[in-house]
Amino acid sequence: MIIKVLGTGCAKCNKLEEMTKKAVIELGLAAQIVKIKEIDKISAYPILMTPALVIDEEVVISGKIPTKDEMLKLILSKSK
């Protein structure tokens, strides 16, 4: 599983990255987490706002920070 956090480095983007790392650890999953900060790479995805979360090349969140429960459910549902 490859999880990408899209964002230029704002506070919300950093929070999403931190939440993602904690969720993966809590779920005990083997996942590679990649932070993408470059605008040209971010614009390759169909999003209007950052932060965004991409799991195995599917955008699952854009423009908001999920709750902890939402984050856990999203990652768990994509790990199957």
Side-chain angles (χ1 to χ4, degrees):
M1 170 183 282
I2 299 174
I3 302 173
K4 296 178 182 177
V5 179
L6 311 180
T8 57
C10 68
K12 286 184 179 182
C13 300
N14 293 335
K15 180 162 177 70
L16 182 60
E17 180 181 21
E18 180 183 320
M19 286 180 69
T20 303
K21 288 177 181 178
K22 286 181 179 179
V24 167
I25 291 168
E26 186 172 324
L27 293 169
L29 298 174
Q32 178 183 2
I33 300 172
V34 180
K35 177 79 178 265
I36 298 182
K37 294 182 178 183
E38 299 83 5
I39 296 289
D40 58 329
K41 291 181 181 177
I42 291 171
S43 64
Y45 291 90
I47 63 167
L48 297 176
M49 294 179 64
T50 60
L53 192 68
V54 178
I55 300 177
D56 292 332
E57 293 305 310
E58 180 185 345
V59 176
V60 294
I61 294 175
S62 176
K64 70 172 194 159
I65 301 287
T67 65
K68 179 182 176 182
D69 286 342
E70 288 173 332
M71 175 68 84
L72 292 171
K73 286 177 187 175
L74 274 171
I75 293 174
L76 194 57
S77 71
K78 299 298 179 186
S79 70
K80 297 176 182 179

